[in-house]
PDB file of all heavy atoms in Angstrom:
ATOM      1  N   SER A   1     127.914  98.668  64.645  1.00  0.00           N
ATOM      2  CA  SER A   1     127.733  97.753  63.553  1.00  0.00           C
ATOM      3  C   SER A   1     126.515  98.204  62.706  1.00  0.00           C
ATOM      4  O   SER A   1     126.561  98.286  61.368  1.00  0.00           O
ATOM      5  CB  SER A   1     127.415  96.466  64.026  1.00  0.00           C
ATOM      6  OG  SER A   1     128.583  95.744  64.367  1.00  0.00           O
ATOM      7  N   LEU A   2     125.482  98.731  63.213  1.00  0.00           N
ATOM      8  CA  LEU A   2     124.456  99.131  62.452  1.00  0.00           C
ATOM      9  C   LEU A   2     124.635 100.404  61.630  1.00  0.00           C
ATOM     10  O   LEU A   2     124.261 100.513  60.358  1.00  0.00           O
ATOM     11  CB  LEU A   2     123.065  99.426  63.304  1.00  0.00           C
ATOM     12  CG  LEU A   2     122.473  98.084  63.943  1.00  0.00           C
ATOM     13  CD1 LEU A   2     121.353  98.468  64.885  1.00  0.00           C
ATOM     14  CD2 LEU A   2     122.003  97.147  62.806  1.00  0.00           C
ATOM     15  N   LEU A   3     125.425 101.282  62.237  1.00  0.00           N
ATOM     16  CA  LEU A   3     125.774 102.516  61.433  1.00  0.00           C
ATOM     17  C   LEU A   3     126.781 102.101  60.336  1.00  0.00           C
ATOM     18  O   LEU A   3     126.720 102.518  59.146  1.00  0.00           O
ATOM     19  CB  LEU A   3     126.532 103.477  62.423  1.00  0.00           C
ATOM     20  CG  LEU A   3     127.256 104.712  61.836  1.00  0.00           C
ATOM     21  CD1 LEU A   3     126.178 105.544  61.093  1.00  0.00           C
ATOM     22  CD2 LEU A   3     127.974 105.569  62.955  1.00  0.00           C
ATOM     23  N   LEU A   4     127.736 101.077  60.693  1.00  0.00           N
ATOM     24  CA  LEU A   4     128.736 100.672  59.600  1.00  0.00           C
ATOM     25  C   LEU A   4     127.851  99.986  58.469  1.00  0.00           C
ATOM     26  O   LEU A   4     128.212 100.249  57.264  1.00  0.00           O
ATOM     27  CB  LEU A   4     129.647  99.600  60.156  1.00  0.00           C
ATOM     28  CG  LEU A   4     130.701 100.147  61.119  1.00  0.00           C
ATOM     29  CD1 LEU A   4     131.509  99.041  61.674  1.00  0.00           C
ATOM     30  CD2 LEU A   4     131.650 101.048  60.369  1.00  0.00           C
ATOM     31  N   ARG A   5     126.871  99.244  58.757  1.00  0.00           N
ATOM     32  CA  ARG A   5     126.055  98.545  57.788  1.00  0.00           C
ATOM     33  C   ARG A   5     125.371  99.586  56.851  1.00  0.00           C
ATOM     34  O   ARG A   5     125.336  99.510  55.596  1.00  0.00           O
ATOM     35  CB  ARG A   5     125.016  97.621  58.368  1.00  0.00           C
ATOM     36  CG  ARG A   5     124.342  96.792  57.337  1.00  0.00           C
ATOM     37  CD  ARG A   5     123.203  95.996  58.025  1.00  0.00           C
ATOM     38  NE  ARG A   5     122.114  96.757  58.413  1.00  0.00           N
ATOM     39  CZ  ARG A   5     121.160  96.253  59.202  1.00  0.00           C
ATOM     40  NH1 ARG A   5     121.083  95.054  59.504  1.00  0.00           N
ATOM     41  NH2 ARG A   5     120.122  97.084  59.535  1.00  0.00           N
ATOM     42  N   ASP A   6     124.746 100.536  57.471  1.00  0.00           N
ATOM     43  CA  ASP A   6     124.176 101.596  56.658  1.00  0.00           C
ATOM     44  C   ASP A   6     125.054 102.363  55.731  1.00  0.00           C
ATOM     45  O   ASP A   6     124.827 102.524  54.512  1.00  0.00           O
ATOM     46  CB  ASP A   6     123.443 102.624  57.618  1.00  0.00           C
ATOM     47  CG  ASP A   6     122.114 102.084  58.250  1.00  0.00           C
ATOM     48  OD1 ASP A   6     121.592 101.082  57.810  1.00  0.00           O
ATOM     49  OD2 ASP A   6     121.734 102.715  59.183  1.00  0.00           O
ATOM     50  N   LEU A   7     126.304 102.531  56.263  1.00  0.00           N
ATOM     51  CA  LEU A   7     127.221 103.262  55.504  1.00  0.00           C
ATOM     52  C   LEU A   7     127.733 102.459  54.402  1.00  0.00           C
ATOM     53  O   LEU A   7     127.708 102.901  53.145  1.00  0.00           O
ATOM     54  CB  LEU A   7     128.444 103.653  56.346  1.00  0.00           C
ATOM     55  CG  LEU A   7     129.627 104.384  55.850  1.00  0.00           C
ATOM     56  CD1 LEU A   7     129.126 105.789  55.317  1.00  0.00           C
ATOM     57  CD2 LEU A   7     130.847 104.538  56.743  1.00  0.00           C
ATOM     58  N   ILE A   8     127.961 101.138  54.534  1.00  0.00           N
ATOM     59  CA  ILE A   8     128.470 100.312  53.610  1.00  0.00           C
ATOM     60  C   ILE A   8     127.531 100.052  52.505  1.00  0.00           C
ATOM     61  O   ILE A   8     127.701 100.060  51.332  1.00  0.00           O
ATOM     62  CB  ILE A   8     129.098  98.971  54.160  1.00  0.00           C
ATOM     63  CG1 ILE A   8     130.165  99.294  55.034  1.00  0.00           C
ATOM     64  CG2 ILE A   8     129.519  97.949  53.112  1.00  0.00           C
ATOM     65  CD1 ILE A   8     131.460  99.881  54.362  1.00  0.00           C
ATOM     66  N   GLU A   9     126.227  99.591  53.007  1.00  0.00           N
ATOM     67  CA  GLU A   9     125.146  99.233  51.989  1.00  0.00           C
ATOM     68  C   GLU A   9     124.729 100.407  51.189  1.00  0.00           C
ATOM     69  O   GLU A   9     124.384 100.196  50.055  1.00  0.00           O
ATOM     70  CB  GLU A   9     124.034  98.658  52.773  1.00  0.00           C
ATOM     71  CG  GLU A   9     124.311  97.234  53.413  1.00  0.00           C
ATOM     72  CD  GLU A   9     123.177  96.597  53.948  1.00  0.00           C
ATOM     73  OE1 GLU A   9     122.098  97.162  54.107  1.00  0.00           O
ATOM     74  OE2 GLU A   9     123.390  95.399  54.532  1.00  0.00           O
ATOM     75  N   GLU A  10     124.587 101.631  51.759  1.00  0.00           N
ATOM     76  CA  GLU A  10     124.246 102.834  50.958  1.00  0.00           C
ATOM     77  C   GLU A  10     125.317 103.013  49.948  1.00  0.00           C
ATOM     78  O   GLU A  10     124.882 103.454  48.759  1.00  0.00           O
ATOM     79  CB  GLU A  10     124.096 103.965  51.787  1.00  0.00           C
ATOM     80  CG  GLU A  10     122.749 103.973  52.642  1.00  0.00           C
ATOM     81  CD  GLU A  10     121.550 104.114  51.701  1.00  0.00           C
ATOM     82  OE1 GLU A  10     121.563 105.168  50.954  1.00  0.00           O
ATOM     83  OE2 GLU A  10     120.574 103.311  51.822  1.00  0.00           O
ATOM     84  N   THR A  11     126.561 102.840  50.278  1.00  0.00           N
ATOM     85  CA  THR A  11     127.664 103.106  49.273  1.00  0.00           C
ATOM     86  C   THR A  11     127.464 102.000  48.201  1.00  0.00           C
ATOM     87  O   THR A  11     127.627 102.425  46.948  1.00  0.00           O
ATOM     88  CB  THR A  11     128.919 102.892  49.828  1.00  0.00           C
ATOM     89  OG1 THR A  11     129.076 103.990  50.960  1.00  0.00           O
ATOM     90  CG2 THR A  11     130.057 103.265  48.982  1.00  0.00           C
ATOM     91  N   LEU A  12     127.283 100.759  48.520  1.00  0.00           N
ATOM     92  CA  LEU A  12     127.187  99.807  47.480  1.00  0.00           C
ATOM     93  C   LEU A  12     125.962  99.962  46.546  1.00  0.00           C
ATOM     94  O   LEU A  12     125.985  99.561  45.288  1.00  0.00           O
ATOM     95  CB  LEU A  12     127.100  98.332  48.061  1.00  0.00           C
ATOM     96  CG  LEU A  12     128.329  97.802  48.787  1.00  0.00           C
ATOM     97  CD1 LEU A  12     127.969  96.454  49.491  1.00  0.00           C
ATOM     98  CD2 LEU A  12     129.416  97.669  47.734  1.00  0.00           C
ATOM     99  N   THR A  13     124.898 100.526  47.055  1.00  0.00           N
ATOM    100  CA  THR A  13     123.597 100.572  46.231  1.00  0.00           C
ATOM    101  C   THR A  13     123.553 101.945  45.489  1.00  0.00           C
ATOM    102  O   THR A  13     122.620 102.172  44.909  1.00  0.00           O
ATOM    103  CB  THR A  13     122.410 100.437  47.231  1.00  0.00           C
ATOM    104  OG1 THR A  13     122.475 101.312  48.334  1.00  0.00           O
ATOM    105  CG2 THR A  13     122.280  98.998  47.537  1.00  0.00           C
ATOM    106  N   HIS A  14     124.672 102.754  45.717  1.00  0.00           N
ATOM    107  CA  HIS A  14     124.750 104.056  44.995  1.00  0.00           C
ATOM    108  C   HIS A  14     126.134 104.158  44.395  1.00  0.00           C
ATOM    109  O   HIS A  14     126.852 105.115  44.777  1.00  0.00           O
ATOM    110  CB  HIS A  14     124.387 105.202  45.855  1.00  0.00           C
ATOM    111  CG  HIS A  14     123.013 105.235  46.415  1.00  0.00           C
ATOM    112  ND1 HIS A  14     122.598 104.398  47.471  1.00  0.00           N
ATOM    113  CD2 HIS A  14     121.884 105.831  45.914  1.00  0.00           C
ATOM    114  CE1 HIS A  14     121.257 104.610  47.682  1.00  0.00           C
ATOM    115  NE2 HIS A  14     120.836 105.462  46.820  1.00  0.00           N
ATOM    116  N   ALA A  15     126.637 103.168  43.553  1.00  0.00           N
ATOM    117  CA  ALA A  15     127.995 103.024  43.374  1.00  0.00           C
ATOM    118  C   ALA A  15     128.475 103.496  42.127  1.00  0.00           C
ATOM    119  O   ALA A  15     129.687 103.525  41.730  1.00  0.00           O
ATOM    120  CB  ALA A  15     128.403 101.495  43.406  1.00  0.00           C
ATOM    121  N   ASP A  16     127.720 104.316  41.312  1.00  0.00           N
ATOM    122  CA  ASP A  16     128.009 104.814  40.024  1.00  0.00           C
ATOM    123  C   ASP A  16     129.315 105.797  40.188  1.00  0.00           C
ATOM    124  O   ASP A  16     129.154 106.648  41.034  1.00  0.00           O
ATOM    125  CB  ASP A  16     126.966 105.565  39.430  1.00  0.00           C
ATOM    126  CG  ASP A  16     125.843 104.673  38.838  1.00  0.00           C
ATOM    127  OD1 ASP A  16     126.075 103.439  38.839  1.00  0.00           O
ATOM    128  OD2 ASP A  16     124.823 105.129  38.389  1.00  0.00           O
ATOM    129  N   GLY A  17     130.391 105.493  39.444  1.00  0.00           N
ATOM    130  CA  GLY A  17     131.471 106.416  39.409  1.00  0.00           C
ATOM    131  C   GLY A  17     132.503 106.087  40.496  1.00  0.00           C
ATOM    132  O   GLY A  17     133.610 106.863  40.511  1.00  0.00           O
ATOM    133  N   ILE A  18     132.303 105.063  41.292  1.00  0.00           N
ATOM    134  CA  ILE A  18     133.249 104.851  42.402  1.00  0.00           C
ATOM    135  C   ILE A  18     134.326 103.912  41.631  1.00  0.00           C
ATOM    136  O   ILE A  18     134.174 103.100  40.807  1.00  0.00           O
ATOM    137  CB  ILE A  18     132.644 104.034  43.550  1.00  0.00           C
ATOM    138  CG1 ILE A  18     131.523 104.842  44.248  1.00  0.00           C
ATOM    139  CG2 ILE A  18     133.733 103.472  44.485  1.00  0.00           C
ATOM    140  CD1 ILE A  18     130.895 104.057  45.385  1.00  0.00           C
ATOM    141  N   ASP A  19     135.568 104.223  42.148  1.00  0.00           N
ATOM    142  CA  ASP A  19     136.676 103.462  41.606  1.00  0.00           C
ATOM    143  C   ASP A  19     136.465 102.018  41.709  1.00  0.00           C
ATOM    144  O   ASP A  19     136.175 101.575  42.780  1.00  0.00           O
ATOM    145  CB  ASP A  19     138.003 103.905  42.231  1.00  0.00           C
ATOM    146  CG  ASP A  19     139.191 103.186  41.779  1.00  0.00           C
ATOM    147  OD1 ASP A  19     139.421 102.097  42.326  1.00  0.00           O
ATOM    148  OD2 ASP A  19     139.973 103.696  41.014  1.00  0.00           O
ATOM    149  N   PRO A  20     136.605 101.253  40.684  1.00  0.00           N
ATOM    150  CA  PRO A  20     136.323  99.791  40.631  1.00  0.00           C
ATOM    151  C   PRO A  20     137.145  99.055  41.789  1.00  0.00           C
ATOM    152  O   PRO A  20     136.574  98.090  42.391  1.00  0.00           O
ATOM    153  CB  PRO A  20     136.655  99.363  39.355  1.00  0.00           C
ATOM    154  CG  PRO A  20     136.486 100.540  38.379  1.00  0.00           C
ATOM    155  CD  PRO A  20     136.913 101.690  39.278  1.00  0.00           C
ATOM    156  N   GLU A  21     138.371  99.391  41.926  1.00  0.00           N
ATOM    157  CA  GLU A  21     139.185  98.680  42.915  1.00  0.00           C
ATOM    158  C   GLU A  21     138.676  98.976  44.318  1.00  0.00           C
ATOM    159  O   GLU A  21     138.668  98.013  45.172  1.00  0.00           O
ATOM    160  CB  GLU A  21     140.627  98.979  42.744  1.00  0.00           C
ATOM    161  CG  GLU A  21     141.314  98.389  41.491  1.00  0.00           C
ATOM    162  CD  GLU A  21     142.744  98.607  41.423  1.00  0.00           C
ATOM    163  OE1 GLU A  21     143.360  99.118  42.432  1.00  0.00           O
ATOM    164  OE2 GLU A  21     143.396  98.310  40.396  1.00  0.00           O
ATOM    165  N   VAL A  22     138.362 100.249  44.558  1.00  0.00           N
ATOM    166  CA  VAL A  22     137.807 100.594  45.933  1.00  0.00           C
ATOM    167  C   VAL A  22     136.531  99.906  46.137  1.00  0.00           C
ATOM    168  O   VAL A  22     136.237  99.418  47.147  1.00  0.00           O
ATOM    169  CB  VAL A  22     137.768 102.079  45.930  1.00  0.00           C
ATOM    170  CG1 VAL A  22     137.175 102.425  47.420  1.00  0.00           C
ATOM    171  CG2 VAL A  22     139.155 102.693  45.882  1.00  0.00           C
ATOM    172  N   LEU A  23     135.706  99.940  45.136  1.00  0.00           N
ATOM    173  CA  LEU A  23     134.335  99.333  45.210  1.00  0.00           C
ATOM    174  C   LEU A  23     134.489  97.856  45.518  1.00  0.00           C
ATOM    175  O   LEU A  23     133.703  97.214  46.385  1.00  0.00           O
ATOM    176  CB  LEU A  23     133.615  99.561  43.847  1.00  0.00           C
ATOM    177  CG  LEU A  23     132.085  99.126  44.038  1.00  0.00           C
ATOM    178  CD1 LEU A  23     131.349  99.748  45.092  1.00  0.00           C
ATOM    179  CD2 LEU A  23     131.340  99.305  42.587  1.00  0.00           C
ATOM    180  N   ALA A  24     135.389  97.159  44.852  1.00  0.00           N
ATOM    181  CA  ALA A  24     135.605  95.770  45.090  1.00  0.00           C
ATOM    182  C   ALA A  24     136.045  95.515  46.574  1.00  0.00           C
ATOM    183  O   ALA A  24     135.590  94.532  47.140  1.00  0.00           O
ATOM    184  CB  ALA A  24     136.652  95.205  44.204  1.00  0.00           C
ATOM    185  N   GLU A  25     136.819  96.340  47.125  1.00  0.00           N
ATOM    186  CA  GLU A  25     137.320  96.167  48.410  1.00  0.00           C
ATOM    187  C   GLU A  25     136.173  96.520  49.551  1.00  0.00           C
ATOM    188  O   GLU A  25     136.017  95.804  50.420  1.00  0.00           O
ATOM    189  CB  GLU A  25     138.421  97.195  48.723  1.00  0.00           C
ATOM    190  CG  GLU A  25     138.853  97.164  50.234  1.00  0.00           C
ATOM    191  CD  GLU A  25     139.190  95.860  50.825  1.00  0.00           C
ATOM    192  OE1 GLU A  25     139.450  94.986  50.093  1.00  0.00           O
ATOM    193  OE2 GLU A  25     139.061  95.773  52.084  1.00  0.00           O
ATOM    194  N   ILE A  26     135.396  97.502  49.113  1.00  0.00           N
ATOM    195  CA  ILE A  26     134.213  97.723  50.038  1.00  0.00           C
ATOM    196  C   ILE A  26     133.171  96.473  49.947  1.00  0.00           C
ATOM    197  O   ILE A  26     132.656  96.019  51.000  1.00  0.00           O
ATOM    198  CB  ILE A  26     133.420  98.975  49.580  1.00  0.00           C
ATOM    199  CG1 ILE A  26     134.267 100.147  49.728  1.00  0.00           C
ATOM    200  CG2 ILE A  26     131.957  99.144  50.357  1.00  0.00           C
ATOM    201  CD1 ILE A  26     133.690 101.482  49.139  1.00  0.00           C
ATOM    202  N   ARG A  27     133.088  95.912  48.814  1.00  0.00           N
ATOM    203  CA  ARG A  27     132.193  94.656  48.680  1.00  0.00           C
ATOM    204  C   ARG A  27     132.818  93.600  49.460  1.00  0.00           C
ATOM    205  O   ARG A  27     132.107  92.759  50.018  1.00  0.00           O
ATOM    206  CB  ARG A  27     131.977  94.380  47.275  1.00  0.00           C
ATOM    207  CG  ARG A  27     131.101  93.227  46.959  1.00  0.00           C
ATOM    208  CD  ARG A  27     130.506  92.978  45.615  1.00  0.00           C
ATOM    209  NE  ARG A  27     129.414  93.981  45.362  1.00  0.00           N
ATOM    210  CZ  ARG A  27     129.375  95.089  44.598  1.00  0.00           C
ATOM    211  NH1 ARG A  27     130.557  95.410  44.001  1.00  0.00           N
ATOM    212  NH2 ARG A  27     128.260  95.733  44.442  1.00  0.00           N
ATOM    213  N   ARG A  28     134.149  93.356  49.386  1.00  0.00           N
ATOM    214  CA  ARG A  28     134.789  92.243  50.141  1.00  0.00           C
ATOM    215  C   ARG A  28     134.590  92.498  51.631  1.00  0.00           C
ATOM    216  O   ARG A  28     134.175  91.568  52.346  1.00  0.00           O
ATOM    217  CB  ARG A  28     136.248  92.361  49.950  1.00  0.00           C
ATOM    218  CG  ARG A  28     137.049  91.174  50.777  1.00  0.00           C
ATOM    219  CD  ARG A  28     138.557  91.590  50.862  1.00  0.00           C
ATOM    220  NE  ARG A  28     138.771  92.740  51.698  1.00  0.00           N
ATOM    221  CZ  ARG A  28     138.872  92.715  52.981  1.00  0.00           C
ATOM    222  NH1 ARG A  28     138.745  91.494  53.646  1.00  0.00           N
ATOM    223  NH2 ARG A  28     138.987  93.831  53.695  1.00  0.00           N
ATOM    224  N   TYR A  29     134.669  93.649  52.205  1.00  0.00           N
ATOM    225  CA  TYR A  29     134.546  94.036  53.607  1.00  0.00           C
ATOM    226  C   TYR A  29     132.965  93.767  53.982  1.00  0.00           C
ATOM    227  O   TYR A  29     132.641  93.133  55.032  1.00  0.00           O
ATOM    228  CB  TYR A  29     134.774  95.394  53.871  1.00  0.00           C
ATOM    229  CG  TYR A  29     134.563  95.917  55.255  1.00  0.00           C
ATOM    230  CD1 TYR A  29     135.502  95.665  56.287  1.00  0.00           C
ATOM    231  CD2 TYR A  29     133.437  96.500  55.595  1.00  0.00           C
ATOM    232  CE1 TYR A  29     135.360  96.098  57.552  1.00  0.00           C
ATOM    233  CE2 TYR A  29     133.135  97.099  56.844  1.00  0.00           C
ATOM    234  CZ  TYR A  29     134.134  96.727  57.851  1.00  0.00           C
ATOM    235  OH  TYR A  29     133.968  97.215  59.183  1.00  0.00           O
ATOM    236  N   ALA A  30     132.086  94.157  53.056  1.00  0.00           N
ATOM    237  CA  ALA A  30     130.674  93.976  53.357  1.00  0.00           C
ATOM    238  C   ALA A  30     130.361  92.538  53.518  1.00  0.00           C
ATOM    239  O   ALA A  30     129.464  92.080  54.257  1.00  0.00           O
ATOM    240  CB  ALA A  30     129.831  94.562  52.126  1.00  0.00           C
ATOM    241  N   LYS A  31     130.844  91.632  52.544  1.00  0.00           N
ATOM    242  CA  LYS A  31     130.585  90.274  52.647  1.00  0.00           C
ATOM    243  C   LYS A  31     131.002  89.584  53.971  1.00  0.00           C
ATOM    244  O   LYS A  31     130.163  88.822  54.532  1.00  0.00           O
ATOM    245  CB  LYS A  31     131.230  89.458  51.434  1.00  0.00           C
ATOM    246  CG  LYS A  31     130.551  89.807  50.142  1.00  0.00           C
ATOM    247  CD  LYS A  31     131.366  89.147  48.899  1.00  0.00           C
ATOM    248  CE  LYS A  31     130.649  89.494  47.598  1.00  0.00           C
ATOM    249  NZ  LYS A  31     131.487  88.938  46.469  1.00  0.00           N
ATOM    250  N   LEU A  32     132.181  89.972  54.390  1.00  0.00           N
ATOM    251  CA  LEU A  32     132.625  89.513  55.702  1.00  0.00           C
ATOM    252  C   LEU A  32     131.731  90.116  56.834  1.00  0.00           C
ATOM    253  O   LEU A  32     131.404  89.362  57.867  1.00  0.00           O
ATOM    254  CB  LEU A  32     134.122  89.997  55.956  1.00  0.00           C
ATOM    255  CG  LEU A  32     135.131  89.375  55.042  1.00  0.00           C
ATOM    256  CD1 LEU A  32     136.506  89.968  55.354  1.00  0.00           C
ATOM    257  CD2 LEU A  32     135.206  87.875  55.268  1.00  0.00           C
ATOM    258  N   PHE A  33     131.350  91.293  56.653  1.00  0.00           N
ATOM    259  CA  PHE A  33     130.348  91.916  57.666  1.00  0.00           C
ATOM    260  C   PHE A  33     129.058  91.119  57.724  1.00  0.00           C
ATOM    261  O   PHE A  33     128.566  90.756  58.819  1.00  0.00           O
ATOM    262  CB  PHE A  33     130.055  93.426  57.295  1.00  0.00           C
ATOM    263  CG  PHE A  33     129.282  94.171  58.254  1.00  0.00           C
ATOM    264  CD1 PHE A  33     129.729  95.018  59.201  1.00  0.00           C
ATOM    265  CD2 PHE A  33     127.861  93.927  58.347  1.00  0.00           C
ATOM    266  CE1 PHE A  33     129.039  95.691  60.010  1.00  0.00           C
ATOM    267  CE2 PHE A  33     127.074  94.702  59.223  1.00  0.00           C
ATOM    268  CZ  PHE A  33     127.610  95.563  59.956  1.00  0.00           C
ATOM    269  N   TRP A  34     128.505  90.880  56.527  1.00  0.00           N
ATOM    270  CA  TRP A  34     127.215  90.083  56.538  1.00  0.00           C
ATOM    271  C   TRP A  34     127.303  88.747  57.061  1.00  0.00           C
ATOM    272  O   TRP A  34     126.486  88.173  57.810  1.00  0.00           O
ATOM    273  CB  TRP A  34     126.754  90.055  55.071  1.00  0.00           C
ATOM    274  CG  TRP A  34     126.325  91.379  54.527  1.00  0.00           C
ATOM    275  CD1 TRP A  34     125.650  92.342  55.134  1.00  0.00           C
ATOM    276  CD2 TRP A  34     126.411  91.802  53.073  1.00  0.00           C
ATOM    277  NE1 TRP A  34     125.478  93.344  54.304  1.00  0.00           N
ATOM    278  CE2 TRP A  34     125.879  93.087  53.031  1.00  0.00           C
ATOM    279  CE3 TRP A  34     127.036  91.255  51.962  1.00  0.00           C
ATOM    280  CZ2 TRP A  34     125.911  93.775  51.904  1.00  0.00           C
ATOM    281  CZ3 TRP A  34     127.048  91.976  50.812  1.00  0.00           C
ATOM    282  CH2 TRP A  34     126.459  93.220  50.801  1.00  0.00           C
ATOM    283  N   VAL A  35     128.432  87.901  56.687  1.00  0.00           N
ATOM    284  CA  VAL A  35     128.557  86.635  57.202  1.00  0.00           C
ATOM    285  C   VAL A  35     128.659  86.609  58.738  1.00  0.00           C
ATOM    286  O   VAL A  35     128.162  85.778  59.418  1.00  0.00           O
ATOM    287  CB  VAL A  35     129.905  85.914  56.687  1.00  0.00           C
ATOM    288  CG1 VAL A  35     130.272  84.745  57.333  1.00  0.00           C
ATOM    289  CG2 VAL A  35     129.670  85.687  55.196  1.00  0.00           C
ATOM    290  N   ASN A  36     129.488  87.606  59.336  1.00  0.00           N
ATOM    291  CA  ASN A  36     129.684  87.603  60.657  1.00  0.00           C
ATOM    292  C   ASN A  36     128.861  88.538  61.584  1.00  0.00           C
ATOM    293  O   ASN A  36     128.995  88.690  62.714  1.00  0.00           O
ATOM    294  CB  ASN A  36     131.209  88.141  60.952  1.00  0.00           C
ATOM    295  CG  ASN A  36     132.195  87.096  60.340  1.00  0.00           C
ATOM    296  OD1 ASN A  36     132.332  85.967  60.807  1.00  0.00           O
ATOM    297  ND2 ASN A  36     132.905  87.473  59.254  1.00  0.00           N
ATOM    298  N   ASN A  37     127.778  89.075  61.009  1.00  0.00           N
ATOM    299  CA  ASN A  37     126.936  89.998  61.719  1.00  0.00           C
ATOM    300  C   ASN A  37     127.647  91.275  62.314  1.00  0.00           C
ATOM    301  O   ASN A  37     127.306  91.648  63.468  1.00  0.00           O
ATOM    302  CB  ASN A  37     126.141  89.237  62.773  1.00  0.00           C
ATOM    303  CG  ASN A  37     125.059  88.424  62.107  1.00  0.00           C
ATOM    304  OD1 ASN A  37     124.185  88.941  61.621  1.00  0.00           O
ATOM    305  ND2 ASN A  37     125.128  87.013  62.384  1.00  0.00           N
ATOM    306  N   GLY A  38     128.660  91.724  61.622  1.00  0.00           N
ATOM    307  CA  GLY A  38     129.490  92.769  62.104  1.00  0.00           C
ATOM    308  C   GLY A  38     130.868  92.720  61.794  1.00  0.00           C
ATOM    309  O   GLY A  38     131.202  91.724  60.973  1.00  0.00           O
ATOM    310  N   PRO A  39     131.709  93.594  62.068  1.00  0.00           N
ATOM    311  CA  PRO A  39     133.187  93.558  61.648  1.00  0.00           C
ATOM    312  C   PRO A  39     133.998  92.469  62.338  1.00  0.00           C
ATOM    313  O   PRO A  39     135.018  92.216  61.733  1.00  0.00           O
ATOM    314  CB  PRO A  39     133.619  95.023  62.034  1.00  0.00           C
ATOM    315  CG  PRO A  39     132.766  95.347  63.104  1.00  0.00           C
ATOM    316  CD  PRO A  39     131.432  94.771  62.952  1.00  0.00           C
ATOM    317  N   HIS A  40     133.504  91.839  63.391  1.00  0.00           N
ATOM    318  CA  HIS A  40     134.349  90.873  64.081  1.00  0.00           C
ATOM    319  C   HIS A  40     133.922  89.433  63.668  1.00  0.00           C
ATOM    320  O   HIS A  40     132.792  89.123  63.486  1.00  0.00           O
ATOM    321  CB  HIS A  40     134.121  91.015  65.571  1.00  0.00           C
ATOM    322  CG  HIS A  40     134.545  92.326  66.164  1.00  0.00           C
ATOM    323  ND1 HIS A  40     133.673  93.422  66.173  1.00  0.00           N
ATOM    324  CD2 HIS A  40     135.794  92.761  66.559  1.00  0.00           C
ATOM    325  CE1 HIS A  40     134.396  94.381  66.714  1.00  0.00           C
ATOM    326  NE2 HIS A  40     135.645  93.972  66.970  1.00  0.00           N
ATOM    327  N   SER A  41     134.905  88.607  63.490  1.00  0.00           N
ATOM    328  CA  SER A  41     134.734  87.213  63.038  1.00  0.00           C
ATOM    329  C   SER A  41     133.833  86.484  64.003  1.00  0.00           C
ATOM    330  O   SER A  41     134.243  86.514  65.202  1.00  0.00           O
ATOM    331  CB  SER A  41     136.140  86.565  62.829  1.00  0.00           C
ATOM    332  OG  SER A  41     136.018  85.166  62.528  1.00  0.00           O
ATOM    333  N   ALA A  42     132.967  85.693  63.440  1.00  0.00           N
ATOM    334  CA  ALA A  42     132.228  84.801  64.380  1.00  0.00           C
ATOM    335  C   ALA A  42     133.002  83.627  64.896  1.00  0.00           C
ATOM    336  O   ALA A  42     132.625  83.010  65.886  1.00  0.00           O
ATOM    337  CB  ALA A  42     131.022  84.204  63.548  1.00  0.00           C
ATOM    338  N   LEU A  43     134.112  83.387  64.237  1.00  0.00           N
ATOM    339  CA  LEU A  43     135.004  82.216  64.759  1.00  0.00           C
ATOM    340  C   LEU A  43     136.096  82.625  65.630  1.00  0.00           C
ATOM    341  O   LEU A  43     136.255  81.971  66.639  1.00  0.00           O
ATOM    342  CB  LEU A  43     135.478  81.564  63.402  1.00  0.00           C
ATOM    343  CG  LEU A  43     136.008  80.150  63.558  1.00  0.00           C
ATOM    344  CD1 LEU A  43     134.807  79.175  63.954  1.00  0.00           C
ATOM    345  CD2 LEU A  43     136.627  79.614  62.273  1.00  0.00           C
TER     346      LEU A  43
END
């Protein structure tokens, strides 16, 4: 999880030139990650 977070957050904060649709999907995944403290659902 910590490696995934670094990978995702570094991508989001250096996003110039990234395809908008791909960036939107990375952001969707990141929000779920942040809410759940990792890739797995808290529920």
Side-chain angles (χ1 to χ4, degrees):
S1 284
L2 292 176
L3 176 59
L4 289 175
R5 187 186 68 187
D6 286 345
L7 180 63
I8 295 298
E9 290 186 357
E10 282 293 308
T11 301
L12 288 176
T13 52
H14 297 81
D16 288 350
I18 295 177
D19 180 275
E21 290 187 8
V22 176
L23 184 61
E25 170 54 22
I26 295 171
R27 180 163 278 112
R28 181 200 67 86
Y29 178 86
K31 289 175 182 176
L32 293 175
F33 184 103
W34 291 323
V35 166
N36 294 292
N37 286 299
H40 297 88
S41 168
L43 200 64

